[in-house]
Amino acid sequence: MHTSFSALDTFKTCPLKYKYQEVDKIRTPQSIQQAFGSLIHKTLKFIYSPTPKGFPTEENAISYFSQNWNGELFKDKKDEGYFELGIKMIKDYYAKWEKPEEVNIIDTEHRFNISIGEHTLGGAIDRIDKKGEKYEIIDYKTDRKIPPQETIDKNLQLSIYLKAFLNRWPTLLDGSEKIEKVKLTLHFLRHNIRISTTRNASDVKMIEKNLLDDINEIEKAREENKFEPSLSPLCDWCNYQKTCPLWVHKFKPVPKKEEDVQKIVKKFIELKNEKKELERKIKKLQGEIEEYFEETKLKQFFTKEGNVVKTQRKTYGWDAKEVGEMLTKWKKDPYLIFKVDGTKLRRFMTKLSPDKQREVMNMRKLERESYGLTTKSSPQL
Ligand code: SF4
């Protein structure tokens, strides 16, 4: 398997992102951060590239950065500050760090391929300096956050770079104790600081073992096709959000039909709420009118808009036993009735003779008496 530090790092961050990137090879547009980081790296390479007139000056570097700036990519309001940030990084760099003519650079963007068991791991080292008997491997970072020294002491990327350096120049360092003569440095351009570390011989022995463990884990995931998404703050910068099951709903377009139903449901809820509110208001007014009718003993009240009438409502019912006996008498069959359904009985009555209808009506019993208000609008002129 051929891999890279970036692929290993992606797998550790999120196995699913690794799958999209390395297995499915889904290409996505460069993010703003990637585009910015890439141009800053190119500018730093430019700074240390000699021309017939000598090394580029600060003005030359700013001009190189400006000419290669893709304004279209950064046109969003929130990305406006990147150009100024790049210029500041270049100025800060020239103000604090070694001028090209003062340093012995062995290589910039040094490409390598190293063997890890039966696998190969490729990458590029930003810069390798020789300082007397010592060497310094430098990696430029545009990160916002600076990790603590303990994290940098264990930084896998720097360990890989050291291994690549030792593979490329095996006789450069005489004896394993000299490994510590290679300074491993992360240069944080936003903060204009460098943090360095070293590795010893036993660290170097562990590098290959750790890398093999990482690669085996990836191979296992590939065999089983098992790549779980891992939600983290880094998702905010992930170019696969639109495909990722954890994020896909954020971008799910509302289908036309669903959009229509959403509008209908919204209106329905609005109307239901309005109805509830109207019923509440009507009930309150009704109570006030009934109170007035009670006080005045009026039965009807007139306004220009119409009149309100106090109506009496009587509710009747039938005795089940009596209705059963009546039907038994008429139909000559025994009827045992437990409950009388008034609606069905009225429907049944339409098939009876007027005498029998009257008989049924006479069996009614008043169950409840209530009062209500009915309204009548004035005729429109
Ligand atoms: S959005 Fe987050 S969880 Fe989804 S693939 Fe990207 S990094 Fe993984």
Side-chain angles (χ1 to χ4, degrees), residues 261-277:
V261 177
Q262 276 187 354
K263 278 184 202 154
I264 293 168
V265 170
K266 186 170 176 264
K267 193 71 199 163
F268 178 74
I269 292 169
E270 278 172 14
L271 288 173
K272 288 280 277 185
N273 289 339
E274 275 174 35
K275 185 182 167 212
K276 218 183 277 174
E277 180 60 13

Side-chain angles (χ1 to χ4, degrees), residues 67-132:
Q67 279 166 16
N68 286 283
W69 181 255
N70 182 353
E72 267 303 293
L73 258 183
F74 296 82
K75 64 175 186 260
D76 203 298
K77 189 121 190 81
K78 68 177 177 12
D79 302 322
E80 273 175 358
Y82 274 100
F83 183 78
E84 284 69 32
L85 178 64
I87 301 292
K88 181 177 178 299
M89 282 178 179
I90 296 167
K91 287 184 174 171
D92 287 350
Y93 192 91
Y94 270 93
K96 185 167 176 181
W97 303 104
E98 58 283 305
K99 306 284 171 289
E101 49 279 352
E102 297 165 7
V103 65
N104 181 7
I105 292 182
I106 297 180
D107 206 358
T108 53
E109 295 197 2
H110 172 79
R111 307 224 151 256
F112 65 84
N113 270 306
I114 54 173
S115 298
I116 308 291
E118 58 188 19
H119 312 284
T120 55
L121 190 150
I125 302 173
D126 284 343
R127 183 171 138 191
I128 305 168
D129 290 3
K130 183 173 186 330
K131 293 180 172 174

Side-chain angles (χ1 to χ4, degrees), residues 204-218:
V204 171
K205 277 189 196 139
M206 286 303 290
I207 294 170
E208 184 161 340
K209 193 200 164 294
N210 292 342
L211 286 173
L212 257 178
D213 288 347
D214 291 347
I215 293 172
N216 287 340
E217 203 186 328
I218 294 177

Side-chain angles (χ1 to χ4, degrees), residues 14 17 20 229-231 235 238 241 244 246-247:
C14 173
K17 185 177 178 187
Y20 291 144
S230 171
L231 194 67
C235 290
C238 178
Q241 276 191 5
C244 174
L246 297 187
W247 289 81

